[in-house]
Structure formats: structure tokens, C-alpha cells
mmCIF file of all heavy atoms in Angstrom:
data_model
loop_
_atom_site.group_PDB
_atom_site.id
_atom_site.type_symbol
_atom_site.label_atom_id
_atom_site.label_comp_id
_atom_site.label_asym_id
_atom_site.label_seq_id
_atom_site.Cartn_x
_atom_site.Cartn_y
_atom_site.Cartn_z
ATOM 1 N N PRO A 27 -5.640 4.184 26.590
ATOM 2 C CA PRO A 27 -4.514 3.271 26.833
ATOM 3 C C PRO A 27 -3.466 3.911 27.740
ATOM 4 O O PRO A 27 -3.158 5.096 27.634
ATOM 5 C CB PRO A 27 -3.944 3.030 25.431
ATOM 6 C CG PRO A 27 -5.055 3.376 24.496
ATOM 7 C CD PRO A 27 -5.834 4.464 25.159
ATOM 8 N N THR A 28 -2.935 3.125 28.647
ATOM 9 C CA THR A 28 -1.873 3.595 29.543
ATOM 10 C C THR A 28 -0.560 2.874 29.284
ATOM 11 O O THR A 28 0.449 3.206 29.892
ATOM 12 C CB THR A 28 -2.279 3.393 31.014
ATOM 13 O OG1 THR A 28 -2.561 2.006 31.240
ATOM 14 C CG2 THR A 28 -3.519 4.230 31.354
ATOM 15 N N LYS A 29 -0.568 1.881 28.408
ATOM 16 C CA LYS A 29 0.642 1.132 28.072
ATOM 17 C C LYS A 29 0.857 1.174 26.558
ATOM 18 O O LYS A 29 -0.050 1.504 25.797
ATOM 19 C CB LYS A 29 0.529 -0.318 28.558
ATOM 20 C CG LYS A 29 0.399 -0.459 30.070
ATOM 21 C CD LYS A 29 0.298 -1.916 30.466
ATOM 22 C CE LYS A 29 0.311 -2.078 31.985
ATOM 23 N NZ LYS A 29 -0.822 -1.382 32.623
ATOM 24 N N ASP A 30 2.067 0.839 26.159
ATOM 25 C CA ASP A 30 2.388 0.830 24.739
ATOM 26 C C ASP A 30 1.500 -0.163 24.001
ATOM 27 O O ASP A 30 1.199 -1.253 24.516
ATOM 28 C CB ASP A 30 3.852 0.455 24.520
ATOM 29 C CG ASP A 30 4.802 1.535 25.033
ATOM 30 O OD1 ASP A 30 4.362 2.695 25.134
ATOM 31 O OD2 ASP A 30 5.965 1.203 25.330
ATOM 32 N N LEU A 31 1.083 0.221 22.792
ATOM 33 C CA LEU A 31 0.272 -0.674 21.982
ATOM 34 C C LEU A 31 1.132 -1.808 21.431
ATOM 35 O O LEU A 31 2.323 -1.636 21.174
ATOM 36 C CB LEU A 31 -0.366 0.105 20.832
ATOM 37 C CG LEU A 31 -1.279 1.269 21.235
ATOM 38 C CD1 LEU A 31 -1.822 1.954 19.987
ATOM 39 C CD2 LEU A 31 -2.422 0.780 22.110
ATOM 40 N N HIS A 32 0.512 -2.964 21.250
ATOM 41 C CA HIS A 32 1.222 -4.127 20.716
ATOM 42 C C HIS A 32 0.631 -4.482 19.359
ATOM 43 O O HIS A 32 -0.588 -4.495 19.183
ATOM 44 C CB HIS A 32 1.094 -5.327 21.661
ATOM 45 C CG HIS A 32 1.807 -5.140 22.962
ATOM 46 N ND1 HIS A 32 3.143 -5.405 23.129
ATOM 47 C CD2 HIS A 32 1.367 -4.684 24.167
ATOM 48 C CE1 HIS A 32 3.500 -5.133 24.375
ATOM 49 N NE2 HIS A 32 2.433 -4.693 25.028
ATOM 50 N N HIS A 33 1.492 -4.767 18.398
ATOM 51 C CA HIS A 33 1.025 -5.175 17.079
ATOM 52 C C HIS A 33 0.493 -6.603 17.141
ATOM 53 O O HIS A 33 1.140 -7.497 17.698
ATOM 54 C CB HIS A 33 2.160 -5.090 16.055
ATOM 55 C CG HIS A 33 2.549 -3.690 15.725
ATOM 56 N ND1 HIS A 33 1.774 -2.864 14.937
ATOM 57 C CD2 HIS A 33 3.622 -2.956 16.098
ATOM 58 C CE1 HIS A 33 2.359 -1.684 14.827
ATOM 59 N NE2 HIS A 33 3.474 -1.713 15.522
ATOM 60 N N ALA A 34 -0.681 -6.796 16.582
ATOM 61 C CA ALA A 34 -1.273 -8.128 16.536
ATOM 62 C C ALA A 34 -0.800 -8.854 15.282
ATOM 63 O O ALA A 34 -0.432 -8.234 14.283
ATOM 64 C CB ALA A 34 -2.798 -8.027 16.541
ATOM 65 N N ASP A 35 -0.827 -10.163 15.350
ATOM 66 C CA ASP A 35 -0.488 -10.981 14.195
ATOM 67 C C ASP A 35 -1.704 -11.033 13.274
ATOM 68 O O ASP A 35 -2.719 -11.645 13.629
ATOM 69 C CB ASP A 35 -0.108 -12.391 14.650
ATOM 70 C CG ASP A 35 0.144 -13.330 13.469
ATOM 71 O OD1 ASP A 35 0.280 -12.833 12.331
ATOM 72 O OD2 ASP A 35 0.195 -14.553 13.690
ATOM 73 N N PRO A 36 -1.669 -10.379 12.105
ATOM 74 C CA PRO A 36 -2.854 -10.351 11.243
ATOM 75 C C PRO A 36 -3.356 -11.736 10.867
ATOM 76 O O PRO A 36 -4.559 -11.986 10.835
ATOM 77 C CB PRO A 36 -2.378 -9.573 10.005
ATOM 78 C CG PRO A 36 -1.201 -8.794 10.474
ATOM 79 C CD PRO A 36 -0.551 -9.634 11.530
ATOM 80 N N GLU A 37 -2.431 -12.679 10.604
ATOM 81 C CA GLU A 37 -2.865 -14.007 10.202
ATOM 82 C C GLU A 37 -3.585 -14.716 11.341
ATOM 83 O O GLU A 37 -4.586 -15.414 11.140
ATOM 84 C CB GLU A 37 -1.668 -14.825 9.723
ATOM 85 C CG GLU A 37 -1.055 -14.293 8.426
ATOM 86 C CD GLU A 37 0.076 -15.175 7.947
ATOM 87 O OE1 GLU A 37 0.365 -16.191 8.616
ATOM 88 O OE2 GLU A 37 0.666 -14.854 6.904
ATOM 89 N N GLY A 38 -3.085 -14.531 12.561
ATOM 90 C CA GLY A 38 -3.742 -15.161 13.702
ATOM 91 C C GLY A 38 -5.119 -14.597 13.963
ATOM 92 O O GLY A 38 -6.075 -15.330 14.250
ATOM 93 N N ILE A 39 -5.262 -13.274 13.842
ATOM 94 C CA ILE A 39 -6.557 -12.643 14.073
ATOM 95 C C ILE A 39 -7.567 -13.081 13.026
ATOM 96 O O ILE A 39 -8.734 -13.328 13.318
ATOM 97 C CB ILE A 39 -6.404 -11.108 14.078
ATOM 98 C CG1 ILE A 39 -5.716 -10.675 15.369
ATOM 99 C CG2 ILE A 39 -7.753 -10.422 13.944
ATOM 100 C CD1 ILE A 39 -5.524 -9.191 15.485
ATOM 101 N N GLU A 40 -7.103 -13.195 11.789
ATOM 102 C CA GLU A 40 -8.039 -13.516 10.715
ATOM 103 C C GLU A 40 -8.582 -14.941 10.792
ATOM 104 O O GLU A 40 -9.561 -15.279 10.131
ATOM 105 C CB GLU A 40 -7.372 -13.263 9.356
ATOM 106 C CG GLU A 40 -7.225 -11.775 9.074
ATOM 107 C CD GLU A 40 -6.383 -11.498 7.847
ATOM 108 O OE1 GLU A 40 -5.996 -12.470 7.180
ATOM 109 O OE2 GLU A 40 -6.105 -10.324 7.581
ATOM 110 N N LEU A 41 -7.965 -15.782 11.625
ATOM 111 C CA LEU A 41 -8.527 -17.113 11.829
ATOM 112 C C LEU A 41 -9.868 -17.038 12.556
ATOM 113 O O LEU A 41 -10.708 -17.931 12.438
ATOM 114 C CB LEU A 41 -7.545 -17.974 12.643
ATOM 115 C CG LEU A 41 -6.228 -18.337 11.946
ATOM 116 C CD1 LEU A 41 -5.314 -19.067 12.919
ATOM 117 C CD2 LEU A 41 -6.491 -19.191 10.710
ATOM 118 N N TRP A 42 -10.077 -15.950 13.304
ATOM 119 C CA TRP A 42 -11.287 -15.811 14.116
ATOM 120 C C TRP A 42 -12.160 -14.652 13.673
ATOM 121 O O TRP A 42 -13.246 -14.463 14.192
ATOM 122 C CB TRP A 42 -10.892 -15.603 15.593
ATOM 123 C CG TRP A 42 -9.935 -16.630 16.084
ATOM 124 C CD1 TRP A 42 -8.573 -16.517 16.193
ATOM 125 C CD2 TRP A 42 -10.243 -17.963 16.488
ATOM 126 N NE1 TRP A 42 -8.017 -17.672 16.663
ATOM 127 C CE2 TRP A 42 -9.029 -18.585 16.851
ATOM 128 C CE3 TRP A 42 -11.433 -18.685 16.590
ATOM 129 C CZ2 TRP A 42 -8.975 -19.896 17.306
ATOM 130 C CZ3 TRP A 42 -11.361 -19.991 17.049
ATOM 131 C CH2 TRP A 42 -10.153 -20.595 17.397
ATOM 132 N N ALA A 43 -11.694 -13.881 12.720
ATOM 133 C CA ALA A 43 -12.422 -12.667 12.317
ATOM 134 C C ALA A 43 -13.513 -13.003 11.312
ATOM 135 O O ALA A 43 -13.412 -13.973 10.574
ATOM 136 C CB ALA A 43 -11.442 -11.662 11.695
ATOM 137 N N PRO A 44 -14.593 -12.178 11.282
ATOM 138 C CA PRO A 44 -15.610 -12.383 10.250
ATOM 139 C C PRO A 44 -15.052 -12.069 8.868
ATOM 140 O O PRO A 44 -14.097 -11.306 8.719
ATOM 141 C CB PRO A 44 -16.701 -11.370 10.636
ATOM 142 C CG PRO A 44 -16.003 -10.348 11.456
ATOM 143 C CD PRO A 44 -14.909 -11.067 12.173
ATOM 144 N N VAL A 45 -15.630 -12.683 7.867
ATOM 145 C CA VAL A 45 -15.177 -12.496 6.486
ATOM 146 C C VAL A 45 -16.299 -11.836 5.700
ATOM 147 O O VAL A 45 -17.442 -12.296 5.738
ATOM 148 C CB VAL A 45 -14.799 -13.844 5.841
ATOM 149 C CG1 VAL A 45 -14.397 -13.632 4.386
ATOM 150 C CG2 VAL A 45 -13.660 -14.502 6.612
ATOM 151 N N PHE A 46 -15.992 -10.749 5.023
ATOM 152 C CA PHE A 46 -16.984 -10.031 4.238
ATOM 153 C C PHE A 46 -16.645 -10.154 2.758
ATOM 154 O O PHE A 46 -15.496 -10.032 2.361
ATOM 155 C CB PHE A 46 -17.024 -8.547 4.618
ATOM 156 C CG PHE A 46 -17.350 -8.302 6.060
ATOM 157 C CD1 PHE A 46 -16.365 -7.982 6.967
ATOM 158 C CD2 PHE A 46 -18.659 -8.409 6.507
ATOM 159 C CE1 PHE A 46 -16.663 -7.763 8.302
ATOM 160 C CE2 PHE A 46 -18.970 -8.193 7.833
ATOM 161 C CZ PHE A 46 -17.972 -7.865 8.727
ATOM 162 N N GLY A 47 -17.647 -10.388 1.965
ATOM 163 C CA GLY A 47 -17.477 -10.412 0.520
ATOM 164 C C GLY A 47 -18.480 -9.493 -0.124
ATOM 165 O O GLY A 47 -19.501 -9.146 0.474
ATOM 166 N N GLU A 48 -18.202 -9.071 -1.346
ATOM 167 C CA GLU A 48 -19.093 -8.139 -2.022
ATOM 168 C C GLU A 48 -20.491 -8.717 -2.197
ATOM 169 O O GLU A 48 -21.486 -7.986 -2.188
ATOM 170 C CB GLU A 48 -18.498 -7.747 -3.379
ATOM 171 C CG GLU A 48 -17.222 -6.925 -3.249
ATOM 172 C CD GLU A 48 -16.734 -6.412 -4.580
ATOM 173 O OE1 GLU A 48 -17.505 -6.492 -5.559
ATOM 174 O OE2 GLU A 48 -15.602 -5.906 -4.640
ATOM 175 N N ARG A 49 -20.589 -10.034 -2.357
ATOM 176 C CA ARG A 49 -21.904 -10.642 -2.545
ATOM 177 C C ARG A 49 -22.709 -10.704 -1.249
ATOM 178 O O ARG A 49 -23.907 -10.987 -1.264
ATOM 179 C CB ARG A 49 -21.742 -12.048 -3.139
ATOM 180 C CG ARG A 49 -21.266 -12.038 -4.588
ATOM 181 C CD ARG A 49 -21.087 -13.439 -5.115
ATOM 182 N NE ARG A 49 -20.043 -14.160 -4.385
ATOM 183 C CZ ARG A 49 -19.683 -15.408 -4.631
ATOM 184 N NH1 ARG A 49 -20.303 -16.106 -5.577
ATOM 185 N NH2 ARG A 49 -18.719 -15.986 -3.937
ATOM 186 N N ASP A 50 -22.048 -10.446 -0.096
ATOM 187 C CA ASP A 50 -22.755 -10.466 1.184
ATOM 188 C C ASP A 50 -23.543 -9.184 1.435
ATOM 189 O O ASP A 50 -24.357 -9.118 2.352
ATOM 190 C CB ASP A 50 -21.763 -10.661 2.336
ATOM 191 C CG ASP A 50 -21.015 -11.974 2.227
ATOM 192 O OD1 ASP A 50 -21.627 -12.952 1.750
ATOM 193 O OD2 ASP A 50 -19.832 -12.022 2.599
ATOM 194 N N ILE A 51 -23.282 -8.144 0.657
ATOM 195 C CA ILE A 51 -23.886 -6.839 0.885
ATOM 196 C C ILE A 51 -24.982 -6.603 -0.140
ATOM 197 O O ILE A 51 -24.733 -6.632 -1.346
ATOM 198 C CB ILE A 51 -22.840 -5.700 0.778
ATOM 199 C CG1 ILE A 51 -21.589 -6.037 1.601
ATOM 200 C CG2 ILE A 51 -23.449 -4.380 1.222
ATOM 201 C CD1 ILE A 51 -21.842 -6.223 3.068
ATOM 202 N N ASP A 52 -26.200 -6.359 0.353
ATOM 203 C CA ASP A 52 -27.322 -6.048 -0.530
ATOM 204 C C ASP A 52 -27.458 -4.532 -0.648
ATOM 205 O O ASP A 52 -27.321 -3.814 0.344
ATOM 206 C CB ASP A 52 -28.614 -6.654 0.024
ATOM 207 C CG ASP A 52 -29.752 -6.612 -0.990
ATOM 208 O OD1 ASP A 52 -30.155 -5.501 -1.383
ATOM 209 O OD2 ASP A 52 -30.237 -7.682 -1.377
ATOM 210 N N ALA A 53 -27.742 -4.047 -1.841
ATOM 211 C CA ALA A 53 -27.875 -2.601 -2.064
ATOM 212 C C ALA A 53 -28.953 -1.985 -1.172
ATOM 213 O O ALA A 53 -28.863 -0.806 -0.794
ATOM 214 C CB ALA A 53 -28.178 -2.328 -3.535
#
């Protein structure tokens, strides 16, 4: 990075982010 980092809006990102749950993971 050559410029200052910008904080993202967590709520906005989570509208598009994948969702993981414990039941999604197989041993």
C-alpha cells in the first residue's frame, strides 16, 4: 500500500460476504 488504509463498513461488506456456520464444516 502507498496510501492510508480506509476502514470499511462491516455491515455493508457483510451484505456481500460469504456466511460460514459450524454445520457447513465436515470433520
Side-chain angles (χ1 to χ4, degrees):
T28 58
K29 297 180 174 61
D30 292 337
L31 301 179
H32 292 275
H33 289 286
D35 175 14
E37 293 183 1
I39 287 180
E40 288 171 5
L41 293 174
W42 309 98
V45 177
F46 301 102
E48 293 187 12
R49 290 179 297 180
D50 299 326
I51 312 299
D52 192 297

